Amino acid sequence: MVRVHESHIGRYTVRDGGLYTTTTGSDGNPGLTDDELGILERRAAITVLRDVRSIEGPELRDARKVLGFKQTELAERLAVAPETVSPLAQGSASVTI
């Protein structure tokens, strides 16, 4: 069964219907395992970092946590200096791509 899931990364909502699940909850409705939920949340974080033109602190914080990156790792992935990530994540700066 295809299930559409909404993940929230900062101010953005990402709808993902690309996961097939056979899990059902106690109420008989389709459910997601923790692994399936993790996959969807990571895909949402990658989508926001890849496709959004203006990224602010909430998006960076949420994406970094979902992906399990330290600030230095996120800086490397974004090709920016490590000291750039902290002000971005705190909301005192934004990035426009």
Side-chain angles (χ1 to χ4, degrees), residues 42 54 61 75:
R42 285 188 295 278
S54 177
R61 274 191 310 276

Side-chain angles (χ1 to χ4, degrees), residues 23 32 54 56 60-61 67 69 73 80 87:
T23 307
L32 294 171
S54 177
E56 296 180 356
L60 282 177
R61 274 191 310 276
L67 295 170
F69 291 160
E73 293 170 312
V80 299

